[in-house]
C-alpha cells in the first residue's frame, strides 16, 4: 500500500488527484492539505467526491507531514518551492505539479516567472516527469517536476520529428488552445462565465512561462537548439489543450512514413495514440491519453502536427499518477485506463 | 435632444444602455459615472464600444450631476437608494434599474434585501416601470423603478390569466432559468466559467428578493391575493431568462381561446409577442421582446405559460429605454426595434 | 467472467456502457452490434475508446447472438421491442435501456409512444430496473427495463415523500432540465450547436412519454394515485438532468426531520446522496450518483425537492450496470465508484 | 429607397441580412427566396424576426426577380453561380456571399471547390468586396464577390505589413478559430451540440478553399508572391473568427511604430480598429468591426497579428451591406453602427 499526501488539494488538480486515486486499492491518500480550507471536509469543497473520499483538509506543516511514501504538491508556482525542500525530507518522494522545478536555469526561471527562485539547489536533482522521455530517470527520482499542460502537448507533438531531424529546429510555430480549468480555481474577473463564454482571447503572447520549458526540454531530448513561437489562447471549454504545431520539413517523406515514424517513436508509450483522423479534445477528455495527428502540407512542404490532451489529466493529475506508478515500480497505466 | 446620464455604467446593464443609446440621434449621453473606473475611458472598460462611445467615466457626485434630462441608475440594490434622492433633484427624471424602489412596503424590502431602506419617502412616488401595466403612470413619473428581470417575465406571463380570473391565484409555480449576466459583472468564484459551464444550480430557493415584487405587482394589477413558489436556476448561457409557470385553471376554455385572450391583452404592447410555437431564448436574445407561449395540460386541467426575455434588454436596459421613451412622449419602441 | 453483448452500441449510451465495462476484470464484452456501422471498428466510431476497446461492430441477428450471459439493448424505443423477445432466448438475461418495457399498460404505451407495441407478452415479466425500489425483483429478473433519465431523477426525488404520505399525490409539478446527450446521437437540426447554444427551450409540454412512467412507478411504490405536471427543457450542456419538484406538504415537519427521513429512506442505496447544499449537475457528472436536496418553503408550506443525475450514467448506462451487478449477485457498486 | 432582394434567405447569413436591413428606412427588402421554405412566412423560419419582418419566402426564379435594385445571394458555393448570371440581368446589382466569384482562376476554383465553374465569364468582372482594399472598384461594380469570413480576418491582418514590405511573404502561418455558425445552418452530425461542445477540432488542414482566396487577394494588393499555411479550427461558440498570424519580420521597428503603421493604413476604414489590448471575439460580436492587435516577439523577431471579426457580420452580412452602401453612394457605415 502506497501512502500518499496531497499538498494544496483544494484546487482542480487536487480534486482530480483525489478522484483518480480514490479508485485505487493499492494507494491510500492519508493526508490532504489546503491552508484556506483547513478543517473542512474534502466533500464540502469538492462535493463531487461525497461518498468517495472521507478526509478533511489540514493546514500544511511541511516538515511534519508524517508517514507517507509520496507527496503530490499541487500548489501554485512560487508557493511550491517554499515547501518542497522540507517535504522531500519528510516524505519519501515528491511529485511537484507546479512550474518551480521544471527549468534547470535560475535566470530563465526568474525571467519568466517574475520572482526569485528560493530552492535552486534542488533544480539539478529534479527529474522532468514526462515518462515518454524520462521513464528511466523517473523510476529512480526522489523529486519529479510534473510537466506543464502546454509543454506536455507541444513536446510530445514535436519530439519524434526533432529527434529524427526531420524539421528545422528554428521557426517552429505552436498555437495552443486551452480550456479554462488550466487557469486554476480562481475568482479572476476575466475567468467569469460571461467573459469567457462566446469568446476567445490569446494571452501572454511571446512571453508565457511555458516557452523556456518547451524549448529546453526539446533541446535536451534532441540535442539541437530549438526556437519556438508560442501563442496560448483561452477558449470556452472546461477541459482540454489543443495544440497545432507548424514546422518546416527538411527531408522528403510521405505522410504514411511520417505516421509510421511517430508510431514507432511511441510504441512503448501506453498513453500516446498516433491517430489517422484529426485529433479532437473530446477523444481525450477525462483520459490520460495524448492524441497526435501528423500531416504534410504538400504545397508548402510543411509539417502540421496536432497534439491534444486533457489538461487536468495528462496535463496534470493523470501524468503525476503515471509518474508515481513508475517511481513505485508499478505498471505505468495502473489506475489510468 | 434628450440629455442623459448613466450612473454606475461599468457593469453589464450600463454597457447595454450605452450600446442601445449610441444609435439614437435624439438622445445624447452626456455623463457616465463609475467610481472604481473614474478617469478611464468607456472603451477601455467596454472595448466593444470603441468607436461608438467617446466618453470617460467620472466619479459620482449625485447633487452635482449637471444639466441632464434623465439619469439612469445602474447601481446594485442598496447603493441606488443612497443616490437617487439627490439625483432626483439634480436631474429631471430618474430611471432606477435596481430593486430599491420596486416595493411599496419597507418591511418587505428589508426582509428580502437584508438591509434597511434609507429612502422610504420615495417609495410611494416611484412608478413601477412595466409599460404593459403602467404606461400612463410612467408617462408622468419623475422616478421610475425599472422591473427586475425575473419579475418582468413572470408578471407578463401571468397578468392576463389573473386579470381575467382564469386561474387560482394561490399555488402558482414559477420556475425560472437565468443566464449568468443577470448576476452582474462579478468575480464571484461561483460565477467562474468552470463552475457554471456544464452545470445547473438552483439558488435562493423560496427566499429570492423577486418574490415580493412578483406577488405585489400581480396583486395590484389583478386585485387578488397572489401566492407563488419561485425557484430561480443558473444555467450556462450569457443572456436570457426562461420562465415556466404552472397554475390551476378555474375555468374551461380552449387553447385557441386562451391564445386569443393573451393576444388581446397585449394588443397595444409592441414588445410582447404571444407565439404559437414554444418560446426559445434565442428568439428574444439581443431584442426587447418578451415571447409568451400558453398551453393547457388537458390531463390535469392546468395552465402552462412560458415567458422568455433577454435579461439585459427587456429585463434591464431595453425596458429602461422603453420607459424613457414613454416619459418623453416618444413612440414606445424608438431605438428598440 | 460475465460475457456481455451490447446491442445498438454506436450511440452515446452504448459508448458509455463500453467505457464503463472496459475497466472491469470480471466482465468481458464479447459482441457489439450496430447495423449502420457493421464492419467498422468500435474506435472508428468512438475514437475516445481507442486503446481501450478492441472490437468491431457487427449487424444484429437477435436469435444468433451466441454465448453471452447478458445483453444490453441500447436501441431506440420501438426498435428494442422487435429484438428483445429473441434476445431473451439467445442471451441469458436482457437489460433494455429503451422505453419499450417500462409500462405495464399497452394502451398507455401506444398513446404516449405513438406506435403499436409488438411484444406485449413480455410487459408483465419485465422488471423496472430502479434498484432503489426493486432491488429484490431485479436480482431474479430475466428482463430488466432500465428506467428513463427523467423518471430516475423524478421518482428518486419523490419516493420517500410519497411513501411516508407527506405530500399530496396530485398537483405535483416537475420541471426538468436536460443536457443534449439525452436526445441521443442525432443529426436533427434542432440539436445543432448553433440552435442549442445560448438557448433554452421546453418541449413535449404535457405529453412527454416519461409522464406515464413517472406516475405508474410512483403509484405502484406508494399505493396512491399520482398526478404530475411535467415540463422538460433542453439546456446548453452535454450531460445532466436537473429536476426541480414542487408538491404540497400535508404534514408539519422541520427541514431537519425531512432530511433525516430522506436519508433514512436511502440508507441502503449506495448511489443516492441526500445533500445539505443545493444540488448541482457538476457534482454528479460522470458518476452514477443521484444527489437529492430537500427544502420546505415556509411561506407556502410546500416541499421543494431537487434531484440531479448524469443522464448517461445513473440515467442510462451506469444504472444498467448497477442492475447487471444485482442480477449477477455482485456488490451493487462494482465498477461504478 | 433601395429595393432589395435576398436570394437564399433561410440560412444564418440570410437571417442576419434581414435583421440588419430591417432597421433601415432607406432600404426596402422586397423579396426573399428559399426554395425549401417557399410559401412559409419569414418569421416561421426565423422566429427572432417576428414583428420585424412581414414577408414570405418564395421559390427563386432568377430571370424574373422583378423590380429590385440589388440582390444579395446567400446560397452555398456551387449554387450561387447557377443563378448569378440571370440575377445580374434582372436586378441592377448583385452581391454574392458565396465563394463562387472570389477567385479569378478557374483551375484554382475547381481544385479547391471540387466542382466545375459554370459561369467563368463573370470572374473577370466580379469585384472582390473588401472595402478596405477595393472601395473604389466596389463603388462602380455590378457584381461584388463578398469575401469569405476567414479571408476577411486574415487579409485585414496581413495587408499593411505586406504592403509596407515588413514581412517575408512566404512562410506565413495563419491559425484561425471559427464559431459554428460559419458552417451554415446544417444538420450535419459533426455540428450537433454534443459533438461541438467541450471540443475543438481542426479541419481541412492544408486544403481549405479559403487558402487561394487569401493568397491571391494578398498578392494582388501587395504585388508579391504570397504563401501561407492555414489551419482552421472549429471551437464551441456560435459567432466569431479568431485569427492568429505569425510572420517573419524583415525590418527592425518598434511595436509603437508598428501600431502607428497599421493605424495609418486603416485611417479611412471605419470598421477596422487597431487596438492596444489583445483582441477578443466578444468585443466584435454583433458588430461589423474587425479588431486587430499587433505584437513583435522580441526573442524570435517575428510579427504576431491577431485579427478578430463576427463571422456573420463583418464576415458575411454586415460586409455585404457595407458594400451595398458603397455601391449606392451612401456613407459606408450606414445602418452598421
Amino acid at each position: 500500500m502506497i501512502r500518499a499526501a496531497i499538498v494544496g488539494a483544494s484546487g482542480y488538480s487536487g480534486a482530480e488527484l483525489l478522484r483518480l486515486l480514490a479508485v485505487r486499492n493499492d494507494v491510500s491518500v492519508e493526508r490532504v492539505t489546503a491552508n484556506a480550507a483547513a478543517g473542512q471536509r474534502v466533500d464540502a469543497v469538492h462535493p463531487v467526491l461525497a461518498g468517495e473520499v472521507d478526509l478533511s483538509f489540514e493546514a500544511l506543516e511541511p516538515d511534519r507531514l508524517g508517514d507517507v511514501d509520496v507527496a503530490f504538491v499541487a500548489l501554485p508556482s512560487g508557493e511550491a518551492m517554499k515547501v518542497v525542500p522540507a517535504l522531500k525530507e519528510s516524505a519519501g518522494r515528491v511529485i511537484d505539479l507546479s512550474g518551480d522545478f521544471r527549468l534547470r536555469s535560475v535566470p530563465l526561471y526568474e525571467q519568466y516567472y517574475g520572482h526569485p527562485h528560493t530552492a535552486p539547489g534542488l533544480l539539478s536533482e529534479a527529474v522532468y516527469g514526462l515518462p515518454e522521455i524520462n521513464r528511466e530517470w523517473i523510476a529512480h527520482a526522489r523529486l519529479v517536476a510534473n510537466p506543464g499542460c502546454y509543454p506536455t502537448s507541444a513536446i510530445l507533438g514535436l519530439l519524434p520529428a526533432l529527434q529524427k531531424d526531420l524539421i528545422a529546429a528554428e521557426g517552429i510555430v505552436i498555437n495552443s488552445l486551452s480550456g479554462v480549468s488550466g487557469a486554476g480555481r480562481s475568482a479572476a474577473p476575466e475567468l467569469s462565465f460571461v467573459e469567457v463564454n462566446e469568446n476567445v482571447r490569446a494571452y501572454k503572447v511571446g512571453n508565457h512561462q511555458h516557452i523556456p520549458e518547451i524549448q529546453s526540454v526539446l533541446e535536451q531530448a534532441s540535442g539541437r537548439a530549438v526556437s519556438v513561437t508560442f501563442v496560448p489562447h483561452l477558449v470556452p471549454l472546461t477541459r482540454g489543450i489543443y495544440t497545432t504545431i507548424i514546422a518546416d520539413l527538411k527531408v522528403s517523406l510521405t505522410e504514411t512514413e511520417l505516421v509510421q515514424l511517430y508510431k514507432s517513436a511511441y510504441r512503448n508509450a501506453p498513453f500516446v495514440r498516433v491517430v489517422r483522423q484529426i485529433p479532437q479534445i473530446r477523444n481525450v477528455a477525462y483520459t490520460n491519453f495524448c492524441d497526435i495527428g501528423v500531416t504534410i502540407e504538400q504545397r508548402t512542404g510543411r509539417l502540421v502536427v496536432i497534439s491534444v490532451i486533457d489538461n487536468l489529466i495528462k496535463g496534470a493529475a493523470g501524468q503525476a499518477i503515471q509518474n508515481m506508478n513508475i517511481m513505485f515500480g508499478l505498471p505505468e497505466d495502473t489506475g489510468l485506463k
Side-chain angles (χ1 to χ4, degrees), chain A:
Chain A
M1 181 68 74
I2 302 170
R3 290 154 306 165
I6 303 173
V7 172
S10 59
Y12 295 137
S13 291
E16 207 65 23
L17 282 167
L18 281 163
R19 188 177 72 81
L20 290 168
L21 292 174
V23 302
R24 301 279 292 256
N25 297 318
D26 58 343
V27 182
S28 161
V29 178
E30 305 277 319
R31 311 185 72 166
V32 288
T33 85
N35 287 342
Q40 292 188 56
R41 283 184 55 83
V42 164
D43 56 12
V45 173
H46 303 305
V48 70
L49 297 174
E52 307 272 15
V53 174
D54 186 23
L55 285 168
S56 292
F57 291 111
E58 53 189 288
L60 174 62
E61 299 179 78
D63 48 355
R64 295 167 58 188
L65 194 66
D67 197 19
V68 301
D69 301 308
V70 60
F72 296 93
V73 180
L75 295 172
S77 297
E79 297 300 314
M81 63 187 170
K82 294 181 190 160
V83 304
V84 163
L87 283 174
K88 242 191 91 228
E89 300 310 313
S90 57
R93 294 178 177 86
V94 174
I95 301 171
D96 175 34
L97 283 77
S98 85
D100 283 352
F101 298 96
R102 297 181 196 149
L103 302 178
R104 298 260 164 129
S105 156
V106 171
L108 263 186
Y109 179 89
E110 297 184 343
Q111 176 190 343
Y112 279 92
Y113 284 83
H115 50 241
H117 202 296
T118 59
L122 291 179
L123 290 179
S124 62
E125 177 190 341
V127 173
Y128 189 74
L130 193 65
E132 291 77 11
I133 298 182
N134 284 339
R135 195 171 284 109
E136 311 281 302
W137 293 94
I138 293 163
H140 302 93
R142 296 284 309 280
L143 171 57
V144 164
N146 212 57
C149 47
Y150 289 124
T152 295
S153 67
I155 293 165
L156 291 177
L158 279 164
L159 195 64
L162 279 170
Q163 285 182 324
K164 295 288 180 186
D165 207 15
L166 305 182
I167 56 171
E170 310 234 326
I172 296 166
V173 172
I174 304 171
N175 259 273
S176 285
L177 316 180
S178 176
V180 186
S181 62
R185 194 167 190 170
S186 153
E190 71 269 21
L191 300 182
S192 76
F193 184 85
V194 176
E195 303 292 319
V196 172
N197 185 43
E198 285 293 288
N199 197 15
V200 170
R201 63 180 169 82
Y203 65 102
K204 291 193 183 176
V205 178
N207 55 24
H208 194 282
Q209 68 275 13
H210 287 167
I211 292 172
E213 180 177 340
I214 294 169
Q215 292 187 157
S216 61
V217 174
L218 285 173
E219 287 178 346
Q220 213 170 338
S222 72
R224 302 162 63 199
V226 173
S227 160
V228 306
T229 294
F230 172 61
V231 185
H233 303 72
L234 195 72
V235 292
L237 44 87
T238 294
R239 282 163 172 257
I241 297 273
Y242 201 95
T243 293
T244 301
I245 302 165
I246 285 136
D248 291 318
L249 274 172
K250 291 163 53 179
V251 302
S252 174
L253 79 174
T254 66
E255 222 163 81
T256 304
E257 290 168 337
L258 187 66
V259 169
Q260 278 316 315
L261 193 145
Y262 266 71
K263 286 198 181 216
S264 169
Y266 289 121
R267 66 187 173 282
N268 297 321
F271 292 112
V272 178
R273 299 187 295 202
V274 179
V275 298
R276 293 311 298 253
Q277 295 172 308
I278 292 177
Q280 303 186 36
I281 281 177
R282 68 194 308 269
N283 295 339
V284 298
Y286 292 89
T287 81
N288 198 49
F289 286 111
C290 175
D291 277 7
I292 296 177
V294 288
T295 317
I296 297 170
E297 192 183 43
Q298 302 302 335
R299 190 171 38 81
T300 61
R302 281 175 152 182
L303 173 65
V304 181
V305 181
I306 293 173
S307 175
V308 186
I309 59 169
D310 182 317
N311 58 300
L312 291 180
I313 306 196
K314 183 62 176 170
Q319 187 144 266
I321 291 171
Q322 188 180 357
N323 282 320
M324 180 197 74
N325 289 340
I326 295 169
M327 293 164 92
F328 286 85
L330 302 170
E332 192 171 332
D333 59 0
T334 308
L336 292 171
K337 278 198 162 176

